[in-house]
Amino acid sequence: MKYKLVKMDQISGDKASIYAVYLEDEQINLFDRFLEENEILFESEIADITDRLYTIGHYTGAKEQLFKLKEGKPGDGVCALYDSPNSRLRLYCIRYGTSIVILGGGGYKPKSMHALQEDDKLKDENYFLRQVSSNITQRMKDHEIYYSIDYMNFDGDLEFNDEEL
C-alpha cells in the first residue's frame, strides 16, 4: 500500500502540527474517510473532535490528557482521540510529543466491547497506524525523516510503499 503523510494546514497551528495519512489507492486521507463514515450518526461527536484538533493545533498542543494513551505497542505513540472521556467514537492517532500528531482512522466502539480486537474495523485501523508508526521510526533511524529545527514538523521522505518493505 502506498501512502504519504500530509500536513493539514487548516487545523495545524503554532502549538502543534497535524498530519493525515493519505492513501494513494483511495485518493483520500484516513481522517477524511473517518469523517465521512461517521458524520451522519455522530454529527456532534465529529464536530467536537474537529474542534478539539483545531484547539490542539492552535492553543494547547497535543497534551497527554487529551488522548487515551497506550492504544498500540509500547513506545509507538498510538493513542485515541475522542470528544469526551465517555464517548465511544475513537480516532486513532500517533503523538510525537506535544507538537506533532498524525491522524489515522477509527470508528465506534460499543460499551459491550472490551478490546478493539473484537471489531475488525477498529483492529484494522489501529494495526495500520501501528505499522505507520513503525515505518516512521525506521525512517528516523535511517535519517530519512527528521524533525524540523523547531520540532513542529517532519521533514524528509514522507512517502511510503509497504510493498517495498
Side-chain angles (χ1 to χ4, degrees):
M1 174 181 295
K2 292 182 181 181
Y3 63 91
K4 61 184 174 182
L5 303 181
V6 178
K7 185 173 178 183
M8 301 186 69
D9 292 323
Q10 65 274 28
I11 53 178
S12 296
D14 61 351
K15 297 295 182 184
S17 294
I18 300 174
Y19 289 79
V21 178
Y22 179 84
L23 303 174
E24 186 176 292
D25 294 344
E26 295 184 29
Q27 300 294 310
I28 193 169
N29 70 57
L30 293 177
F31 178 62
D32 285 342
R33 185 175 73 189
F34 169 82
L35 295 176
E36 287 178 6
E37 290 172 349
N38 295 289
E39 65 188 350
I40 293 173
L41 290 177
F42 302 102
E43 184 178 354
S44 66
E45 291 91 340
I46 291 293
D48 289 343
I49 286 172
T50 55
D51 288 347
R52 183 170 286 206
L53 288 168
Y54 185 86
T55 299
I56 288 168
H58 292 272
Y59 300 107
T60 65
K63 294 180 179 181
E64 279 187 11
Q65 61 265 33
L66 300 174
F67 298 85
K68 183 175 188 284
L69 304 176
K70 300 177 183 174
E71 289 287 301
K73 295 183 292 188
D76 67 7
V78 175
C79 54
L81 178 69
Y82 37 83
D83 65 317
S84 69
N86 296 326
S87 175
R88 307 308 297 172
L89 190 62
R90 302 281 193 267
L91 173 63
Y92 293 111
C93 312
I94 308 169
R95 282 182 65 249
Y96 289 90
T98 59
S99 60
I100 298 176
V101 177
I102 298 173
L103 304 178
Y108 178 74
K109 182 180 175 189
K111 282 188 177 188
S112 61
M113 185 188 316
H114 298 290
L116 69 93
Q117 291 85 351
E118 296 174 30
D119 182 271
D120 288 339
K121 167 115 173 85
L122 290 178
K123 180 181 176 184
D124 290 347
E125 297 285 359
N126 182 283
Y127 280 50
F128 178 69
L129 215 53
R130 291 179 191 196
Q131 184 60 49
V132 170
S133 175
S134 176
N135 292 348
I136 292 169
T137 298
Q138 186 58 51
R139 290 230 177 138
M140 291 178 98
K141 287 178 184 175
D142 295 341
H143 305 288
E144 295 173 11
I145 293 178
Y146 46 91
Y147 291 105
S148 62
I149 292 173
D150 62 2
Y151 290 91
M152 290 291 296
N153 293 290
F154 282 135
D155 287 324
D157 185 5
L158 303 179
E159 295 188 22
F160 299 83
N161 183 354
D162 277 350
E163 285 87 28
E164 295 173 357
L165 301 176

